[in-house]
Amino acid sequence: MGSTERPVPERMADQHEQALHLTRTGNGPTVEDEQTLLAAKFGPADMAGYFTGPELDDQDDEPADTEAAAAEDGGTA
């Protein structure tokens, strides 16, 4: 780090001034029934509204030891 201070832009004074800079984009879902399509693909949304899909029960907490698994199979990792 050098001894020269980096320039910091001035911040807008208050929320009202910041709100004046916001613009509506009109961007929305690309299909009319997006919620239905997401629920069909990933299951119902969770409490936060996220479609995360089914929980996987066969996942271990620790990653598999690839060298040991390869040795059992007679291959290499």
Side-chain angles (χ1 to χ4, degrees):
M1 291 199 193
S3 60
T4 308
E5 291 186 21
R6 65 184 177 98
V8 178
E10 289 294 323
R11 295 190 177 200
M12 292 180 213
D14 60 9
Q15 288 182 343
H16 178 69
E17 186 178 348
Q18 293 173 10
L20 295 175
H21 292 273
L22 297 177
T23 58
R24 293 200 180 273
T25 61
N27 188 17
T30 55
V31 294
E32 291 182 20
D33 56 347
E34 182 180 40
Q35 299 289 331
T36 305
L37 294 173
L38 289 170
K41 185 170 183 175
F42 301 108
D46 62 10
M47 292 176 62
Y50 294 108
F51 294 93
T52 57
E55 293 293 325
L56 302 176
D57 294 334
D58 60 345
Q59 290 185 344
D60 295 331
D61 290 338
E62 297 180 18
D65 184 5
T66 56
E67 291 180 14
E72 290 175 5
D73 294 337
T76 59

